[in-house]
């Protein structure tokens, strides 16, 4: 069995899905209302932040996704009591933090990338940290050099062994002066989670400023941290002696919201995404509108729909916030196969994030991936050496196929492709989708999709 299939099965088990296949009869517009809850890329990090406190924290709107299960497993291995205190509400009590056994940590190896963020909090609480080999989507090399360099700057000593990554801090952790080579989301979070309890002040330059990072800063401020966000991606963190627990409602999942929006457009449907908010989606909304999609902003969510008429081609470059997120391009590309003309998507964040297009091409899409990117006269984002470009020419009709999901966002785009296709598709490895999309099978049913899922 391939490691991808194993990952998919483990992820499915964590959220109680028993079958790894869904059979979809395409051609039916998705219509109705679904709710999005807390963001995968915030809730999981907020859970790690609870480890820094002396008292319990309460996190609200936690989605039932498998990455939350992995982080729960990591926290429990280190003695944090994680209990459910209502629908989507977790109580995280760190009073009995203790060293984990290698077997407990190893059982979580390869499941997610979040465990890397335990380094700073564990060094503060226990003086050492053992981190399993990381998992996450196979969308590029995904090195952790920025994380390790930052931790060394704080005074951590790092050993890599067969067990994973072992860190110690013989002289404690001190505030540091750090400039990231790229505004990495994870490395910025690493610095925030390490600097809050370090002795002295940390200056972080070229920081990521995604809304999920701002929400993490809000949580740390509730806990007693002193963090100042300056213009031009500079963040100052003044170390404090102790932090206490927080109570916080997680920021909504804007990646999930954008995914359902693209599903509405591609299937010529009409989806109200409850819980979605405009500010965090502004860049997405502009491209959605340029492509011919329509939306209405409401107090409790956003209605995304196909207003009739032909869809239009767009040129998009993925970028760090406030640019167009790399996690939004995959579902959008399915809608772009229906647009009249040639669209170009430049992927500038990861070096291998168009693998999912192979299945779309098999289903009849006209997509050419340029592995070394494309020169373009009107670039908004400076070209990075790792980038790729996809040229999508439409409109094309997709037909049903047997598809194996390769990664989270690519996987969701495969579901959408199958929903728009003529005929039947069998999509396997759907467990991977449960890493980031809560109750997606139930939501498909709510939206009137025609599918068979036995599990
Ligand atoms: C986060 O990944 C998200 N994951 C990703 O979402 C998201 O695509 C990405 O940020 C960009 O927004 C989580 O939050 C768990 P990065 P992260 O560090 O933090 C390079 C999803 O589908 N880099 O900002 O791992 C890296 O290779 C996932 O929800 C280094 O070179 O992303 C990439 O090219 C997928 N060295 C770029 O920086 C490092 O040490 C951006 O990565 C770290 C990163």
């Amino acid at each position: 069995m391939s490691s991808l299939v194993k990952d998919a099965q483990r992820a499915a088990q964590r959220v109680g899905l028993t079958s790894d296949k869904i059979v979809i009869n395409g051609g039916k517009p998705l219509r109705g209302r679904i709710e999005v809850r807390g963001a995968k890329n915030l809730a999981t990090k907020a859970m790690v932040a609870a480890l820094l406190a002396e008292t319990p924290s309460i996190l609200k709107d936690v989605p039932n996704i498998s990455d939350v299960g992995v982080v729960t497993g990591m926290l429990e291995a280190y003695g944090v009591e994680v209990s459910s205190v209502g629908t989507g509400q977790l109580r995280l009590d760190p009073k009995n933090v203790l060293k984990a056994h290698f077997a407990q940590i190893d059982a979580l190896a390869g499941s997610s990338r979040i465990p890397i963020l335990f380094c700073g909090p564990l060094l503060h609480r226990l003086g050492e940290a053992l981190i399993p080999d990381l998992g996450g989507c196979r969308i590029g090399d995904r090195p952790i050099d920025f994380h390790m360099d930052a931790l060394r700057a704080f005074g951590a000593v790092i050993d890599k062994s067969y067990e994973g990554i072992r860190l110690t801090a013989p002289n404690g952790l001190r505030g540091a002066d750090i400039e990231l080579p790229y505004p990495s989301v994870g490395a910025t979070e690493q610095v925030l989670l390490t600097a809050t309890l370090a002795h002295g002040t940390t200056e972080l330059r070229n920081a990521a400023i995604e809304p999920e990072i701002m929400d993490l800063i809000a949580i740390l401020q509730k806990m007693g941290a002193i963090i100042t966000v300056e213009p031009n991606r500079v963040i100052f963190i003044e170390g404090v002696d102790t932090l206490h627990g927080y109570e916080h409602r997680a920021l909504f999942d804007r990646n999930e919201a954008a995914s359902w929006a693209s599903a509405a457009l591609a299937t010529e449907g009409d989806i109200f995404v409850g819980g979605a908010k405009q500010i965090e989606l502004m860049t997405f909304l502009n491209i959605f509108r340029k492509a011919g999609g329509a939306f209405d902003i409401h107090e409790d969510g956003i209605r995304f729909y196909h207003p009739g008429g032909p869809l239009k081609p767009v040129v998009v470059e993925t970028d760090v916030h406030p640019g167009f997120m790399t996690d939004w391009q995959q579902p959008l590309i399915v809608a772009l196969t229906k647009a009249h003309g040639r669209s170009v998507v430049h992927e500038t964040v990861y070096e291998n994030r168009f693998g999912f297009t192979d299945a779309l091409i098999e289903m009849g899409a006209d997509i050419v991936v340029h592995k070394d990117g494309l020169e373009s006269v009107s670039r908004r984002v400076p070209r990075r050496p790792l980038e790729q470009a996809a040229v999508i020419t439409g409109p094309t009709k997709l037909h049903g196929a047997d598809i194996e999901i390769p990664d989270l966002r690519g996987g969701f785009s495969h579901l959408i492709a199958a929903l728009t296709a003529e005929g039947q598709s069998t999509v396997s490895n759907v467990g991977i989708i449960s890493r980031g999309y809560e109750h997606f099978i139930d939501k498909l049913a709510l939206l009137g999709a025609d599918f068979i899922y036995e599990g």
Side-chain angles (χ1 to χ4, degrees), residues 208-265:
I209 50 165
E210 268 59 11
E212 292 77 14
I213 288 177
M214 293 303 138
D215 210 33
L216 181 63
I217 292 176
I219 290 171
L220 291 168
Q221 187 177 53
K222 284 181 177 174
M223 296 173 76
I226 302 172
I227 301 173
T228 318
V229 181
E230 301 272 337
N232 298 324
R233 301 189 176 276
V234 176
I235 301 180
F236 287 102
I237 306 116
E238 295 171 46
V240 294
D241 291 339
T242 55
L243 292 172
H244 51 80
Y246 63 82
E247 188 167 330
H248 191 79
R249 185 172 297 283
L251 175 75
F252 80 100
D253 198 314
R254 62 201 176 107
N255 292 342
E256 185 183 356
S259 299
W260 289 114
S262 292
L265 196 58

Side-chain angles (χ1 to χ4, degrees), residues 325-345:
M325 278 204 80
T326 164
D327 302 288
W328 296 339
Q329 51 97 340
Q330 306 78 354
L332 181 74
I333 282 180
V334 183
L336 294 179
T337 65
K338 317 273 166 212
H340 290 242
R342 186 163 291 170
S343 299
V344 184
V345 177

